Amino acid sequence: MTTDRPLRIVVVGGGPVAARLVQELRPALESGAARVTVLGEEPLPAYQRIRLGEVASGRLDGSELALAQSADEERDGVEIRCGAAVVSLDRDRKTVTLAGGAEVGYDRLVLATGASALIPDFPVSGTRGRGISVAPAAGARPEGVIGLRQMQEACRLREAVRSGESVAVLGGGVLGVEAALALAEVGAEVSLLHRGQTPLGRTLDVDAGRLLHRQLVDAGVQVRPDCGIQELVVAARAQDRATDRDGIPYLTALRTTQGRRIPATLLVACTGIRPRDELAAAAGLDTLPRGGIVVDRTGRCPEDAAVFAVGDCAAPLGARPSGLIGPGWEQARSAALALRGEAGHPEDTDLDAAGRPVPVPSPVPPGHRLDPIIVKSHSLSVACAGSPSVDPALDPWDPRGPHVSTWADPAAGQYLRIVSEGDRLLGFVAIGLPRTAAELSRHAGTGTLPAADRSALLALEHAAGDRELGPEDVLCRCSGATFGQVEEAAAAADTDSTTVDEVGRRCGAGTGCGTCRERIGALLAAGAVRQRAGSPA
C-alpha cells in the first residue's frame, strides 16, 4: 500500500498478543510508515494475563504485570484506548463502532479479542433476602462465582485470600492446577475439584498424574478427584438488608457429585474457554462452530484482505485455537510481517559474513510442531506436550511402536517420559526437572529430539547447577529465549540500568509466565549479562 499517509492499523483487543503485535510492528511505527490504534475493553493497558495467579495470591501487584507504558507507546506512534468496547464492524466502510457510538476508521484491522471463560450454569439452592427460598433465573450466577481471565477477577480472589475465605477451584486442567497452587503456596484454604483420576489427565500419563496429585496435596491443596458440582448453596448477607443489594445471593458452599458439602465463598471456574469471535461472525467472516476466526498462515481472513485475527480468537488454517501464549506470539509476528510489508517496511534481510542473504529456515512440517504446556508455579516444575505421551494403549515394549523412555524418582518428585519416532519428538512429560523441561519445550517447536541419548538430558539436569549458563541454554521456557539472546537484548539497551522489562521487549524473556524474571533480574544486577555481552571480542 503506497499513500502519502501512514497505514492506519486498528487492533481490537488489548491483551498480551496485541502487545506483541505492536512490538513486532515497531520498525514500521518508528519510520512513520504505520500508526496503530489499540482498542482495549478492559480499563487498563496490556498486561501479562498469564501471571494473574500471582496477583490473585497477593505475590504481585497488578501494576507489575504491565507490558508497556502508555506514554512510551504514544511517542512511538501507538494510541492506546482503554475501556473502549467495540460493538460492531463495518467492512465496507472500514470502520469499527464503539459502545458509545463513536467510530474509528482503519486501513487494516486486527482482531485480538481473545477468549472468554466458559462457566457452567449450576443449580442453586438456599435463601435470598428475608429468608425466602429462591432459585435464581436460568443463566444467573450468584456473587462469588468467577473465572480467572481478567485483572478484576484476580483482585477479587486476592481479597478472598487476605480475608481468609475458603476458595474452591473447579477444573483439573493447567489453569485450575495453576490457580490452586498459587493460592496454596501463600497459605490459602483451597480445594481443587476435577473430573478423572488425576489432575491434568488429558496431558499427563497416569504415573505423572499420580505424582502431580501427591505434590499438590503436599503443597496444601485439598484435591478431590472424580468430583463435580451438583449445586451451589447461597444466602443473602445480613449487612445488605434494607440496601440496594438486599436479596443478592452470595455463594456459601458447594454440594458435590460425591454428596459432600464444601464451604466456599468463592468458586474459580477453570472449565474451559471459548474464542471471542462474535464481532467477526456478525460481520460475515468465517468462524468455526465451536469458536475461532478462520485465517491463513499470515493471520489474514480469506474473505477480507484488510482484516486479520491473532491469538485465542484466531483459527489458523481452520485449526481450533490452542489457548496457549506461544502460538499467539507467533501469530502476532506473522501478521506483523505481513502488515509491515503492506506499509512499505518489510522485514530486514540478515546477511552472512560474505554479504549474502541468510536462507530462511524451512517451516516445520504440519503435525511435527508441538505446543508445550507449562504449569506456572513457584514450587513445582511441570511441562508436557503431545498426546502420544499420555496414550494408555501405548506399549513401550512393542518394537514396532514409538520409542518410549521413562524415568521416575517419586521420592524426589521427579518424572520424565519421552515418546519419539526416529528423530521426531512425539510427546513428553517432565516433572521436577526444569532444565530438561526447558530443553524439550524448546525442541518441541520443531518436533525434534534434543539428544539421541535421553539419559544425557538427566545428566545435564543435575550438572546445570554446577556451571555457568552458556549462550544456548534456555533461560525463558515460555518464549524459548536463551541466555545468549538475553545477553544481546541487554547490550542493545545501551544503558547501565537495563531492566527486565527492557530485555523482555527485545527478546520476549520474562513476558510469559514470569517465573524467570527473578533470575534475569539477578543476572542484570550482578552484571553477569552485561559483562559478558559488552566485553570486547
Side-chain angles (χ1 to χ4, degrees), residues 119-449:
I119 302 179
D121 292 329
F122 302 104
V124 178
S125 68
T127 58
R128 183 181 69 179
R130 301 178 181 85
I132 302 174
S133 296
V134 297
R141 290 193 208 103
E143 295 286 330
V145 179
I146 63 172
L148 189 54
R149 294 192 62 81
Q150 293 190 343
M151 184 66 72
Q152 62 182 13
E153 294 172 324
C155 292
R156 170 66 185 92
L157 192 49
R158 181 179 59 194
E159 292 174 6
V161 172
R162 287 177 175 174
S163 59
E165 299 178 46
S166 298
V167 179
V169 177
L170 178 64
V174 63
L175 295 180
V177 169
E178 287 176 351
L181 262 175
L183 298 175
E185 286 169 350
V186 295
E189 182 180 344
V190 56
S191 299
L192 175 63
L193 289 67
H194 68 87
R195 299 189 181 278
Q197 297 180 349
T198 61
L200 290 178
R202 294 184 178 180
T203 50
L204 300 184
D205 61 277
V206 174
D207 288 337
R210 290 174 62 189
L211 177 58
L212 177 59
H213 176 110
R214 190 180 73 181
Q215 292 185 310
L216 287 169
V217 172
D218 290 344
V221 179
Q222 300 176 38
V223 184
R224 302 182 184 274
D226 293 315
C227 185
I229 295 178
Q230 182 176 343
E231 66 177 4
L232 306 180
V233 181
V234 302
R237 299 193 309 183
Q239 61 265 40
D240 289 344
R241 298 292 167 82
T243 71
D244 59 353
R245 298 188 67 81
D246 190 0
I248 295 178
Y250 282 78
L251 181 68
T252 61
L254 316 172
R255 284 198 176 93
T256 73
T257 53
Q258 296 175 338
R260 296 179 179 176
R261 186 182 190 277
I262 301 176
T265 56
L266 200 62
L267 171 63
V268 184
C270 299
T271 47
I273 59 174
R274 179 180 173 83
R276 297 187 61 185
D277 59 3
E278 302 88 1
L279 288 173
L285 297 172
D286 189 16
T287 59
L288 300 181
R290 294 179 59 191
I293 306 167
V294 178
V295 295
D296 63 16
R297 293 186 184 277
T298 67
R300 196 188 305 268
C301 295
E303 302 85 3
D304 191 333
V307 182
F308 293 73
V310 295
D312 287 349
C313 69
L317 303 180
R320 279 273 296 167
S322 69
L324 301 175
I325 190 66
W329 282 346
E330 292 190 6
Q331 293 166 25
R333 174 167 174 75
S334 297
L337 289 178
L339 290 166
R340 283 169 53 179
E342 294 187 21
H345 203 295
E347 183 180 19
D348 296 332
T349 303
D350 293 330
L351 303 177
D352 61 18
R356 294 170 298 195
V358 176
V360 177
S362 301
V364 179
H368 282 228
R369 174 192 172 87
L370 302 174
D371 293 320
I373 296 174
I374 301 170
V375 174
K376 275 68 70 179
S377 166
H378 288 264
S379 57
L380 297 182
S381 171
V382 182
C384 56
S387 57
S389 60
V390 301
D391 185 357
L394 191 63
D395 182 2
W397 302 102
D398 183 359
R400 297 167 298 179
H403 183 170
V404 182
S405 301
T406 305
W407 182 87
D409 186 353
Q414 296 180 331
Y415 182 88
L416 177 64
R417 181 179 174 92
I418 301 174
V419 182
S420 61
E421 194 168 53
D423 61 354
R424 179 184 169 192
L425 178 64
L426 298 181
F428 74 88
V429 175
I431 299 178
L433 301 165
R435 190 176 189 282
T436 300
E439 284 295 313
L440 289 167
S441 296
R442 184 161 68 105
H443 282 77
T446 58
T448 58
L449 283 168

Side-chain angles (χ1 to χ4, degrees), residues 44-49 51-52 54-55 58-69 151 158 162 500-501 505 510-514 517:
L44 65 166
Y47 55 87
Q48 299 172 57
R49 197 183 307 277
R51 302 179 70 195
L52 282 176
E54 294 191 73
V55 176
R59 277 200 174 100
L60 290 178
D61 184 83
S63 61
E64 298 180 69
L65 269 58
L67 287 170
Q69 299 297 322
M151 184 66 72
R158 181 179 59 194
R162 287 177 175 174
V500 176
D501 288 333
R505 282 193 287 271
T511 60
C513 70
R517 289 176 63 86

Side-chain angles (χ1 to χ4, degrees), residues 51 378 433-436 438-439 460-461 463-470 472-477 481-483 486-487 490 498-501 503 509-510 513-530 532:
R51 302 179 70 195
H378 288 264
L433 301 165
R435 190 176 189 282
T436 300
E439 284 295 313
L460 288 173
E461 179 76 45
D466 300 327
R467 64 176 180 82
E468 291 187 4
L469 288 173
E472 297 301 317
D473 286 315
V474 176
L475 190 55
C476 175
R477 292 182 296 173
T482 64
F483 184 76
V486 171
E487 286 182 328
T498 308
T499 66
V500 176
D501 288 333
V503 169
C513 70
T515 54
C516 65
R517 289 176 63 86
E518 184 176 347
R519 190 174 191 185
I520 296 171
L523 290 170
L524 291 171
V529 169
R530 183 157 296 282
R532 195 179 301 184

